[in-house]
Amino acid sequence: MQSVAKEFPVKTGVDRKDRRELAKMLTKIIGSSHVLYAKIRGVHWNVVGPAFYSLHKMTEEQYEDLNEAIDDMAERIRAIGFQAPTGLAEMMEHSVVKDQTKLLPANDMVKELVEDHDSVSRLLREGVAEAEAAEDVKTADLLTERIGVHEEAAWMLRATIS
Ligand SMILES: [Fe+2]
């Protein structure tokens, strides 16, 4: 059986040291996105009350988008030559988003999602700055686009519970 390639030699003009740091940053963003993904689904499944339908639908759009983004970012790690995270423990270890360990009233869980989207936006902003400093324009571009998505997701959730 073919073994897993931990690192590929990549010669696209971005230093290996910078690419390694960016892979670490991407792992943090992926880990945080995974925990957020799970929390969004928790709201999607458990929400009750007058906003049920809108929150149920909105959270579905958000977790589906996150699912694709996680895949794009993990594949970006491979494209810059490093190893993508392989399991939930690794994701959680690197997450800036705290796991949801018990069910709360819908409003409280939505408030937490807003904070989590904001945390991921801040992390993404750090990632963009690192990628720009390393002149990795593709990673900077990928992460920049994600900031807007998280800001919009936070706005929509905020508006629902205001
Ligand atoms: Fe569903």
Side-chain angles (χ1 to χ4, degrees):
M1 203 183 115
Q2 196 75 18
S3 71
V4 177
K6 286 202 167 179
E7 183 178 348
F8 294 125
V10 171
K11 291 172 185 153
T12 55
V14 180
D15 282 353
R16 179 184 177 275
K17 196 173 148 282
D18 290 339
R19 283 187 285 104
R20 197 181 53 196
E21 287 308 307
L22 285 170
K24 278 189 206 161
M25 171 53 87
L26 283 162
T27 299
K28 252 174 132 174
I29 298 167
I30 292 166
S32 307
S33 302
H34 252 281
V35 176
L36 179 55
Y37 174 90
K39 288 173 84 167
I40 290 173
R41 296 196 86 180
V43 172
H44 173 75
W45 292 324
N46 293 303
V47 65
V48 292
F52 167 80
Y53 192 72
S54 55
L55 276 172
H56 184 71
K57 282 283 167 201
M58 189 187 299
T59 47
E60 182 169 289
E61 281 169 24
Q62 293 190 5
Y63 74 69
E64 282 178 351
D65 162 77
L66 262 180
N67 182 36
E68 277 178 40
I70 288 165
D71 195 46
D72 291 344
M73 292 187 289
E75 286 168 6
R76 184 67 196 149
I77 296 181
R78 295 306 279 155
I80 62 172
F82 288 90
Q83 196 181 0
T86 50
L88 280 180
E90 192 180 357
M91 308 276 187
M92 293 190 59
E93 186 193 327
H94 293 98
S95 175
V96 298
V97 174
K98 244 182 83 210
D99 195 16
Q100 187 84 52
T101 50
K102 65 172 191 225
L103 194 63
L104 302 172
N107 262 29
D108 294 347
M109 289 201 294
V110 171
K111 262 184 218 156
E112 215 171 295
L113 291 185
V114 170
E115 285 167 23
D116 295 340
H117 275 296
D118 284 350
S119 303
V120 175
S121 292
R122 289 194 299 275
L123 185 60
L124 284 162
R125 228 172 273 285
E126 274 178 48
V128 171
E130 269 186 36
E132 279 175 350
E135 293 180 11
D136 181 348
V137 290
K138 173 63 191 172
T139 300
D141 186 53
L142 179 66
L143 301 183
T144 300
E145 202 245 305
R146 295 302 307 161
I147 294 173
V149 175
H150 284 280
E151 285 174 342
E152 190 167 301
W155 157 54
M156 288 188 179
L157 289 169
R158 243 182 229 118
T160 308
I161 55 166
S162 288

